[in-house]
């Protein structure tokens, strides 16, 4: 057996550095794996919490003549919501005649896009939401709702398909970012409403001023008409007077007027 070669200090340092680098790589891979597992666990816990609390379950409320109530509801199965593409699709069969519907996409503030009903006569109207471009709606409050008025009563046994894309806005007690965003949007809406009110007021003032100006113009035009009529009447009397002075009768009666002391 050959004698062991004694390492120089430089070789020993290089070997230790190589082992340390390999150890760092192993720790880094282990940390990445732990982070991935934690993220998967968080996703699973979130959806498990949703399943227990049904925070994103589609529920159809029925107004059969006495208004909406918890007794007259048709909840969709939780499986109607696809986690992969955030789509919701369910088919309901009405148990009795209905005159109005209410669609509740869940309990959380949410973003809903492409809400479609199989009956084209029914038009869902969001309640207390921010309507975005096209068929997109942003609900900043809990318990989002769509009101649906039926043009005629829907008979019992009617099958109604409801589909849309759904993104719940999950919030927590310390989720300051969400509430800051919500407050920012609300302030934007308030400022837009104030600007619209100011514009309406300015238009109303302009309209009042325009009406006053139009009234003054009508009065001025009326006065001008009266002035033109007075001038025309004056001219008529002048022509008539000159006609009398130049008439033969006026000339023949001149001696009589002179005798009586009348001026020409």
């Amino acid at each position: 057996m050959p004698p062991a070669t004694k390492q120089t200090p430089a070789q020993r340092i290089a070997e230790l550095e190589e082992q340390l680098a390999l150890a760092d790589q192993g720790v880094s891979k282990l940390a990445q794996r732990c982070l991935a597992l934690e993220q998967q666990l968080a996703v699973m816990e979130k959806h498990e919490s949703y399943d227990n609390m049904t925070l994103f379950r589609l529920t159809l409320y029925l107004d059969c003549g006495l208004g909406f109530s918890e007794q007259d509801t048709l909840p969709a199965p939780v499986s109607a919501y696809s986690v992969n593409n955030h789509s919701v699709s369910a088919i309901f069969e009405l148990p009795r005649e209905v005159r109005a519907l209410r669609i509740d996409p869940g309990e959380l503030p949410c973003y809903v896009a492409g809400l479609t009903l199989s009956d084209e006569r029914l038009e869902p109207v969001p309640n207390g939401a921010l309507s975005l471009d096209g068929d997109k709606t942003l609900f900043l409050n809990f318990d989002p709702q769509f009101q649906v008025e039926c043009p005629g009563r829907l008979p019992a046994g009617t099958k109604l398909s409801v589909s849309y894309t759904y993104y719940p806005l999950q919030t927590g007690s310390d989720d300051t970012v969400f509430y800051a965003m919500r407050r920012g949007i609300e302030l934007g809406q308030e400022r837009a409403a104030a600007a619209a009110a100011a514009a309406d007021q300015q238009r109303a003032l302009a309209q009042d001023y325009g009406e006053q100006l139009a009234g003054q113009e009508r009065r001025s035009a009326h006065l001008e008409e009266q002035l033109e009529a007075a001038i025309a009447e004056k001219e008529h009397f002048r022509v008539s007077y000159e006609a009398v002075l130049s008439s033969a009768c006026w000339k023949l009666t001149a001696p009589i007027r002179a005798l009586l002391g009348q001026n020409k």
Side-chain angles (χ1 to χ4, degrees), residues 191-207:
R191 291 171 182 170
D200 291 340
Q201 184 178 10
Q202 290 296 326
R203 281 193 291 268
L205 292 175
Q207 184 177 0

Side-chain angles (χ1 to χ4, degrees), residues 73 86-87 104 107 125 133 178 205 238 246:
T73 60
H86 300 279
S87 65
D104 287 23
E107 299 296 332
V125 179
D133 297 335
F178 171 79
L205 292 175
R238 184 187 68 77
S246 61

Side-chain angles (χ1 to χ4, degrees), residues 108-109 140-142 169-187:
L108 294 174
L140 294 175
N141 297 317
F142 291 88
L169 304 180
Q170 189 178 12
T171 62
S173 59
D174 58 346
D175 195 345
T176 56
V177 175
F178 171 79
Y179 287 104
M181 178 191 71
R182 172 179 172 180
R183 183 54 184 158
I185 295 177
E186 290 175 347
L187 286 175

